Amino acid sequence: VTITVLIILQPFAGATLIKALQRVLGTVAGALLTVALVAVIHDSRGLLVVIFILAAACVAFLRVNYLIYSILLTPTFVLLAEMSAGDWHLAELRVVNTLIGGALGLAGAWLLWPSAERDRFPELAATALRAAAAHLRVVVAMWNTTDDESSVTLAAARRDAALAITNAEASFERMVAESTRRRRELEPATTLLTFTRRLISADIALGTLRHAPEASAIRDDVSRFARYLTSALDCVADAVAERRAPSPCE
C-alpha cells in the first residue's frame, strides 16, 4: 500500500490521476495474467523461464510505458514469491493493496493539490505574454543604445521569456491530461502558446536587424510598432488572466 502511494503521488493532480490509473489497471491485468499462467504452466522450470522473460520485459518497458510495466511486474513478483509455496493468494492480495494505495494516493492529491490545472494555466499564459512584451521592449531599446550592459539585460529578458513560455506549455500539457473537454475546445490555448513562442523568436531576429545598413532608416517605425505590439500583448495578457475576451487594444 505504501509503495503504491509513493509511486503514484506526483506534484500535480492530473499526473497523479494518470499514474494511479496505470498502476491500478496494470496490477489488475497483471493478476489476471498470473492466474492464466499458473493455470497453463505447472512445471517450475517453465515458470522460471516465464519469470525471466517477464522480468526482462519489465526493465524494457519501465521508461516506455508504465501501464505495460505494471502489467508485467505483477506476475513477475507473484510467481517469484509464491512459486515454491504454490499459494497464489498473493495475486489477490496485491490487487487489493494496490486499490487501497491508489485510493489513498488520489485522496492525498486532492488534499495537497486541490486546485485544478485549468485554474493555474491562465495566469501562467498571461505571464508568458507579459514576458514576451518585456523582451520586445528590451530588444527595441537596444536599437537606441550601444551600452555593453544592454546585452546582459537582453540575455536576462530572453531567459525570462523562454522560462515563462515553457512553464505555460507544461501547464497546458497537464491541463490536457486533466481535462474532459474535447480537444477542439483547447485549440485557442494551443494557438496562443504557439504564436507567443514564435513572437519571441521573431523578436530575436528583430534584435539582429539593428546591425543592418538600413537600421537607422527604420528605427522610428520599429519603435512605433513595438509600442503598439507591447500594448496589445499587455491587453491580451490581462484578458487571459481574468478569463474574458480582450477589449479593443489601442
Side-chain angles (χ1 to χ4, degrees):
V1 172
T2 305
I3 290 175
T4 300
V5 173
L6 292 176
I7 288 176
I8 70 172
L9 271 179
Q10 304 294 313
F12 304 99
T16 300
L17 177 60
I18 293 174
K19 202 77 168 183
L21 290 175
Q22 291 176 333
R23 178 78 176 184
V24 172
L25 294 178
T27 301
V28 172
L32 295 176
L33 178 60
T34 303
V35 173
L37 290 174
V38 172
V40 173
I41 304 174
H42 303 284
D43 183 58
S44 60
R45 290 170 296 184
L47 289 176
L48 284 174
V49 173
V50 171
I51 291 172
F52 176 81
I53 295 174
L54 291 174
C58 281
V59 175
F61 280 98
L62 177 58
R63 300 291 183 182
V64 178
N65 189 303
Y66 188 76
L67 175 61
I68 298 178
Y69 167 79
S70 298
I71 294 174
L72 299 175
L73 177 64
T74 298
T76 303
F77 174 78
V78 174
L79 291 175
L80 190 61
E82 298 295 337
M83 184 177 62
S84 59
D87 184 5
W88 306 109
H89 77 285
L90 189 60
E92 178 184 355
L93 184 63
R94 184 177 177 85
V95 170
V96 173
N97 288 340
T98 299
L99 291 174
I100 295 174
L104 291 175
L106 291 176
W110 290 329
L111 292 174
L112 297 174
W113 305 285
S115 60
E117 197 62 40
R118 62 177 177 271
D119 297 327
R120 286 190 290 262
F121 172 75
E123 186 57 41
L124 290 173
T127 299
L129 289 169
R130 296 188 181 105
H135 177 254
L136 178 57
R137 291 188 182 98
V138 174
V139 169
V140 174
M142 291 185 64
W143 281 60
N144 302 312
T145 181
T146 58
D147 190 358
D148 293 337
E149 293 183 0
S150 60
S151 59
V152 177
T153 305
L154 177 62
R158 184 179 302 172
R159 181 173 59 252
D160 292 342
L163 180 60
I165 188 62
T166 299
N167 289 338
E169 289 171 343
S171 176
F172 176 74
E173 292 178 359
R174 294 191 295 269
M175 185 176 67
V176 171
E178 291 181 5
S179 180
T180 58
R181 300 177 180 178
R182 292 176 297 179
R183 292 296 183 263
R184 184 176 297 276
E185 297 180 15
L186 300 173
E187 285 183 3
T190 306
T191 303
L192 176 68
L193 295 177
T194 299
F195 281 96
T196 301
R197 183 171 286 280
R198 289 182 181 179
L199 176 61
I200 296 173
S201 300
D203 292 344
I204 296 174
L206 182 63
T208 61
L209 185 61
R210 65 192 175 93
H211 299 294
E214 65 274 14
S216 58
I218 63 173
R219 182 177 290 112
D220 293 339
D221 293 333
V222 170
S223 297
R224 284 194 298 270
F225 172 73
R227 284 195 299 270
Y228 169 77
L229 183 54
T230 53
S231 176
L233 286 172
D234 290 335
C235 177
V236 175
D238 292 339
V240 170
E242 297 170 8
R243 303 185 184 185
R244 59 174 173 81
S247 56
C249 302
E250 299 180 357

